[in-house]
PDB file of all heavy atoms in Angstrom:
ATOM      1  N   ILE A 124     -14.054  31.073 -15.670  1.00 90.00           N
ATOM      2  CA  ILE A 124     -13.388  31.717 -14.538  1.00 90.00           C
ATOM      3  C   ILE A 124     -12.860  33.086 -14.947  1.00 90.00           C
ATOM      4  O   ILE A 124     -13.013  34.068 -14.227  1.00 90.00           O
ATOM      5  CB  ILE A 124     -12.209  30.860 -14.026  1.00 90.00           C
ATOM      6  CG1 ILE A 124     -12.612  29.401 -13.891  1.00 90.00           C
ATOM      7  CG2 ILE A 124     -11.683  31.427 -12.713  1.00 90.00           C
ATOM      8  CD1 ILE A 124     -13.390  29.056 -12.683  1.00 90.00           C
ATOM      9  N   GLY A 125     -12.226  33.127 -16.105  1.00 86.00           N
ATOM     10  CA  GLY A 125     -11.715  34.394 -16.601  1.00 86.00           C
ATOM     11  C   GLY A 125     -10.443  34.845 -15.916  1.00 86.00           C
ATOM     12  O   GLY A 125     -10.458  35.733 -15.065  1.00 86.00           O
ATOM     13  N   ILE A 126      -9.349  34.212 -16.274  1.00 88.00           N
ATOM     14  CA  ILE A 126      -8.051  34.599 -15.738  1.00 88.00           C
ATOM     15  C   ILE A 126      -7.288  35.339 -16.821  1.00 88.00           C
ATOM     16  O   ILE A 126      -7.201  34.881 -17.957  1.00 88.00           O
ATOM     17  CB  ILE A 126      -7.239  33.371 -15.290  1.00 88.00           C
ATOM     18  CG1 ILE A 126      -8.046  32.561 -14.266  1.00 88.00           C
ATOM     19  CG2 ILE A 126      -5.909  33.799 -14.699  1.00 88.00           C
ATOM     20  CD1 ILE A 126      -7.422  31.229 -13.961  1.00 88.00           C
ATOM     21  N   ASN A 127      -6.718  36.451 -16.454  1.00 90.00           N
ATOM     22  CA  ASN A 127      -6.061  37.281 -17.451  1.00 90.00           C
ATOM     23  C   ASN A 127      -4.588  37.517 -17.089  1.00 90.00           C
ATOM     24  O   ASN A 127      -4.298  38.194 -16.113  1.00 90.00           O
ATOM     25  CB  ASN A 127      -6.798  38.614 -17.568  1.00 90.00           C
ATOM     26  CG  ASN A 127      -6.255  39.444 -18.712  1.00 90.00           C
ATOM     27  OD1 ASN A 127      -5.321  39.036 -19.421  1.00 90.00           O
ATOM     28  ND2 ASN A 127      -6.814  40.618 -18.897  1.00 90.00           N
ATOM     29  N   PRO A 128      -3.699  36.982 -17.919  1.00 94.00           N
ATOM     30  CA  PRO A 128      -2.259  37.124 -17.638  1.00 94.00           C
ATOM     31  C   PRO A 128      -1.779  38.566 -17.689  1.00 94.00           C
ATOM     32  O   PRO A 128      -0.745  38.897 -17.110  1.00 94.00           O
ATOM     33  CB  PRO A 128      -1.593  36.315 -18.757  1.00 94.00           C
ATOM     34  CG  PRO A 128      -2.673  35.502 -19.371  1.00 94.00           C
ATOM     35  CD  PRO A 128      -3.952  36.230 -19.139  1.00 94.00           C
ATOM     36  N   ASP A 129      -2.524  39.405 -18.372  1.00 92.00           N
ATOM     37  CA  ASP A 129      -2.089  40.800 -18.481  1.00 92.00           C
ATOM     38  C   ASP A 129      -2.026  41.485 -17.121  1.00 92.00           C
ATOM     39  O   ASP A 129      -1.290  42.446 -16.918  1.00 92.00           O
ATOM     40  CB  ASP A 129      -3.043  41.566 -19.406  1.00 92.00           C
ATOM     41  CG  ASP A 129      -2.922  41.069 -20.848  1.00 92.00           C
ATOM     42  OD1 ASP A 129      -1.825  40.612 -21.213  1.00 92.00           O
ATOM     43  OD2 ASP A 129      -3.917  41.143 -21.585  1.00 92.00           O
ATOM     44  N   GLN A 130      -2.821  40.934 -16.193  1.00 88.00           N
ATOM     45  CA  GLN A 130      -2.852  41.540 -14.862  1.00 88.00           C
ATOM     46  C   GLN A 130      -1.480  41.616 -14.212  1.00 88.00           C
ATOM     47  O   GLN A 130      -1.159  42.559 -13.507  1.00 88.00           O
ATOM     48  CB  GLN A 130      -3.799  40.744 -13.942  1.00 88.00           C
ATOM     49  CG  GLN A 130      -5.257  41.113 -14.119  1.00 88.00           C
ATOM     50  CD  GLN A 130      -6.132  40.395 -13.113  1.00 88.00           C
ATOM     51  OE1 GLN A 130      -6.098  39.183 -13.033  1.00 88.00           O
ATOM     52  NE2 GLN A 130      -6.919  41.142 -12.354  1.00 88.00           N
ATOM     53  N   TYR A 131      -0.687  40.566 -14.416  1.00 94.00           N
ATOM     54  CA  TYR A 131       0.656  40.604 -13.813  1.00 94.00           C
ATOM     55  C   TYR A 131       1.734  41.033 -14.813  1.00 94.00           C
ATOM     56  O   TYR A 131       2.712  41.666 -14.428  1.00 94.00           O
ATOM     57  CB  TYR A 131       1.018  39.251 -13.195  1.00 94.00           C
ATOM     58  CG  TYR A 131       1.118  38.095 -14.175  1.00 94.00           C
ATOM     59  CD1 TYR A 131       2.298  37.858 -14.888  1.00 94.00           C
ATOM     60  CD2 TYR A 131       0.059  37.222 -14.378  1.00 94.00           C
ATOM     61  CE1 TYR A 131       2.402  36.799 -15.781  1.00 94.00           C
ATOM     62  CE2 TYR A 131       0.163  36.159 -15.276  1.00 94.00           C
ATOM     63  CZ  TYR A 131       1.338  35.960 -15.968  1.00 94.00           C
ATOM     64  OH  TYR A 131       1.439  34.920 -16.851  1.00 94.00           O
TER      65      TYR A 131
END
Side-chain angles (χ1 to χ4, degrees):
Chain A
I124 314 281
I126 304 170
N127 187 0
D129 292 331
Q130 278 185 305
Y131 63 84

